[in-house]
Amino acid sequence: MSKKYIIPNVLMFFGITLISAGFSFLSFKKIILDADANNYVYTGILDVSHANTYGPLINPVNINENIDPYYFVITNRGQLNAYYQITLEDYMDEIKLCGCYKKTLPKEYINYELYRGNELIINGILSELNDGLLYEGIIYMGSSNKEIFTLRLNYNSKITNKYNGYHYHGKVNIIMNNIYK
């Protein structure tokens, strides 16, 4: 090939590449703009405020003392409705800190009651909870949409003096597990 054809061929190659890239970009942009809303990921924001001093920690339950209820509020500050779960689990960090492995009250002796506002929504014995799941719900979008919860723990009639001095450390978790449209 002679030198006089190299420059036009190179320019033609770059021109074709530039035109192809332009069409590819326009096609991609049209596909994205025309895409169904199901191709997007939405997020929500749930704020949880714990009215008790210890945050998510349930005060140690001791059979010698009255048990104060535990209050918390869930607010949806996102732009979508959200599913959430409330769970109660052993607070292992606090148990380690307390050093009370052998003085932890068995869960079959602790009753629970969970209220949303003034309505009792679930009650039972802690040992019967499946993976600590207390409640599942939907909170609708909007900063004024909030749920106020009260969790009460108390002893059932099975407890004996054998467990005098035993206690329970629990931790409330709120998990946003899905978006609801």
Side-chain angles (χ1 to χ4, degrees), residues 1 41 65 103 108 117 138 140 148 157 175:
M1 190 188 296
V41 176
E65 57 190 53
K103 288 286 193 176
E108 62 261 17
I138 299 172
Y140 295 97
I148 301 169
S157 59
I175 303 159

PDB file of all heavy atoms in Angstrom, residues 1 41 65 103 108 117 138 140 148 157 175:
ATOM      1  N   MET A   1       0.850  -1.166   0.000  1.00  0.00           N
ATOM      2  CA  MET A   1       0.000   0.000   0.000  1.00  0.00           C
ATOM      3  C   MET A   1       0.900   1.235   0.000  1.00  0.00           C
ATOM      4  O   MET A   1       1.883   1.295   0.720  1.00  0.00           O
ATOM      5  CB  MET A   1      -0.886  -0.028   1.240  1.00  0.00           C
ATOM      6  CG  MET A   1      -1.938   1.001   1.167  1.00  0.00           C
ATOM      7  SD  MET A   1      -2.927   1.236   2.632  1.00  0.00           S
ATOM      8  CE  MET A   1      -3.788  -0.193   2.911  1.00  0.00           C
ATOM      9  N   VAL A  41     -32.960   0.183  41.935  1.00  0.00           N
ATOM     10  CA  VAL A  41     -32.921  -0.190  43.347  1.00  0.00           C
ATOM     11  C   VAL A  41     -33.322   1.026  44.167  1.00  0.00           C
ATOM     12  O   VAL A  41     -32.764   2.105  43.997  1.00  0.00           O
ATOM     13  CB  VAL A  41     -31.494  -0.651  43.753  1.00  0.00           C
ATOM     14  CG1 VAL A  41     -31.449  -0.942  45.237  1.00  0.00           C
ATOM     15  CG2 VAL A  41     -31.091  -1.858  42.943  1.00  0.00           C
ATOM     16  N   GLU A  65     -36.299  -7.712  91.443  1.00  0.00           N
ATOM     17  CA  GLU A  65     -36.671  -6.324  91.173  1.00  0.00           C
ATOM     18  C   GLU A  65     -37.824  -6.256  90.177  1.00  0.00           C
ATOM     19  O   GLU A  65     -38.063  -7.192  89.423  1.00  0.00           O
ATOM     20  CB  GLU A  65     -35.469  -5.543  90.644  1.00  0.00           C
ATOM     21  CG  GLU A  65     -34.854  -6.131  89.401  1.00  0.00           C
ATOM     22  CD  GLU A  65     -33.548  -5.497  89.020  1.00  0.00           C
ATOM     23  OE1 GLU A  65     -32.639  -5.424  89.860  1.00  0.00           O
ATOM     24  OE2 GLU A  65     -33.439  -5.082  87.862  1.00  0.00           O
ATOM     25  N   LYS A 103     -25.098 -17.334  85.508  1.00  0.00           N
ATOM     26  CA  LYS A 103     -26.193 -16.704  86.246  1.00  0.00           C
ATOM     27  C   LYS A 103     -27.241 -16.099  85.304  1.00  0.00           C
ATOM     28  O   LYS A 103     -27.999 -15.218  85.683  1.00  0.00           O
ATOM     29  CB  LYS A 103     -25.650 -15.591  87.157  1.00  0.00           C
ATOM     30  CG  LYS A 103     -24.885 -16.103  88.351  1.00  0.00           C
ATOM     31  CD  LYS A 103     -25.863 -16.678  89.342  1.00  0.00           C
ATOM     32  CE  LYS A 103     -25.184 -16.911  90.678  1.00  0.00           C
ATOM     33  NZ  LYS A 103     -26.122 -17.375  91.682  1.00  0.00           N
ATOM     34  N   GLU A 108     -37.166 -19.897  79.456  1.00  0.00           N
ATOM     35  CA  GLU A 108     -38.498 -20.464  79.714  1.00  0.00           C
ATOM     36  C   GLU A 108     -39.153 -19.859  80.951  1.00  0.00           C
ATOM     37  O   GLU A 108     -40.334 -20.095  81.205  1.00  0.00           O
ATOM     38  CB  GLU A 108     -38.469 -21.994  79.805  1.00  0.00           C
ATOM     39  CG  GLU A 108     -37.640 -22.540  80.927  1.00  0.00           C
ATOM     40  CD  GLU A 108     -36.255 -22.988  80.465  1.00  0.00           C
ATOM     41  OE1 GLU A 108     -35.815 -22.592  79.379  1.00  0.00           O
ATOM     42  OE2 GLU A 108     -35.623 -23.721  81.228  1.00  0.00           O
ATOM     43  N   GLY A 117     -48.180   1.104  70.331  1.00  0.00           N
ATOM     44  CA  GLY A 117     -49.078   2.083  70.944  1.00  0.00           C
ATOM     45  C   GLY A 117     -49.612   1.482  72.223  1.00  0.00           C
ATOM     46  O   GLY A 117     -48.859   1.026  73.068  1.00  0.00           O
ATOM     47  N   ILE A 138     -45.094  -3.343  58.449  1.00  0.00           N
ATOM     48  CA  ILE A 138     -44.813  -2.369  57.386  1.00  0.00           C
ATOM     49  C   ILE A 138     -44.974  -1.000  58.002  1.00  0.00           C
ATOM     50  O   ILE A 138     -45.929  -0.741  58.724  1.00  0.00           O
ATOM     51  CB  ILE A 138     -45.808  -2.492  56.217  1.00  0.00           C
ATOM     52  CG1 ILE A 138     -45.742  -3.861  55.571  1.00  0.00           C
ATOM     53  CG2 ILE A 138     -45.554  -1.399  55.177  1.00  0.00           C
ATOM     54  CD1 ILE A 138     -46.832  -4.099  54.547  1.00  0.00           C
ATOM     55  N   TYR A 140     -45.209   2.908  56.698  1.00  0.00           N
ATOM     56  CA  TYR A 140     -45.410   3.639  55.462  1.00  0.00           C
ATOM     57  C   TYR A 140     -44.517   4.868  55.402  1.00  0.00           C
ATOM     58  O   TYR A 140     -44.084   5.398  56.416  1.00  0.00           O
ATOM     59  CB  TYR A 140     -46.892   3.993  55.309  1.00  0.00           C
ATOM     60  CG  TYR A 140     -47.715   2.740  55.169  1.00  0.00           C
ATOM     61  CD1 TYR A 140     -48.358   2.178  56.262  1.00  0.00           C
ATOM     62  CD2 TYR A 140     -47.782   2.079  53.950  1.00  0.00           C
ATOM     63  CE1 TYR A 140     -49.076   1.001  56.138  1.00  0.00           C
ATOM     64  CE2 TYR A 140     -48.491   0.903  53.826  1.00  0.00           C
ATOM     65  CZ  TYR A 140     -49.138   0.369  54.913  1.00  0.00           C
ATOM     66  OH  TYR A 140     -49.825  -0.808  54.797  1.00  0.00           O
ATOM     67  N   ILE A 148     -44.724   3.370  67.787  1.00  0.00           N
ATOM     68  CA  ILE A 148     -44.193   3.413  69.149  1.00  0.00           C
ATOM     69  C   ILE A 148     -44.432   2.041  69.777  1.00  0.00           C
ATOM     70  O   ILE A 148     -45.564   1.554  69.780  1.00  0.00           O
ATOM     71  CB  ILE A 148     -44.866   4.516  69.971  1.00  0.00           C
ATOM     72  CG1 ILE A 148     -44.632   5.870  69.300  1.00  0.00           C
ATOM     73  CG2 ILE A 148     -44.357   4.509  71.410  1.00  0.00           C
ATOM     74  CD1 ILE A 148     -45.463   6.996  69.866  1.00  0.00           C
ATOM     75  N   SER A 157     -44.966 -18.162  86.227  1.00  0.00           N
ATOM     76  CA  SER A 157     -45.213 -18.862  87.493  1.00  0.00           C
ATOM     77  C   SER A 157     -44.298 -20.071  87.699  1.00  0.00           C
ATOM     78  O   SER A 157     -44.252 -20.627  88.796  1.00  0.00           O
ATOM     79  CB  SER A 157     -46.673 -19.295  87.565  1.00  0.00           C
ATOM     80  OG  SER A 157     -46.969 -20.141  86.470  1.00  0.00           O
ATOM     81  N   ILE A 175     -34.746  -4.581  62.037  1.00  0.00           N
ATOM     82  CA  ILE A 175     -34.125  -4.908  60.755  1.00  0.00           C
ATOM     83  C   ILE A 175     -35.095  -4.513  59.649  1.00  0.00           C
ATOM     84  O   ILE A 175     -36.242  -4.965  59.635  1.00  0.00           O
ATOM     85  CB  ILE A 175     -33.832  -6.416  60.655  1.00  0.00           C
ATOM     86  CG1 ILE A 175     -32.942  -6.848  61.812  1.00  0.00           C
ATOM     87  CG2 ILE A 175     -33.210  -6.769  59.322  1.00  0.00           C
ATOM     88  CD1 ILE A 175     -33.004  -8.323  62.111  1.00  0.00           C
TER      89      ILE A 175
END
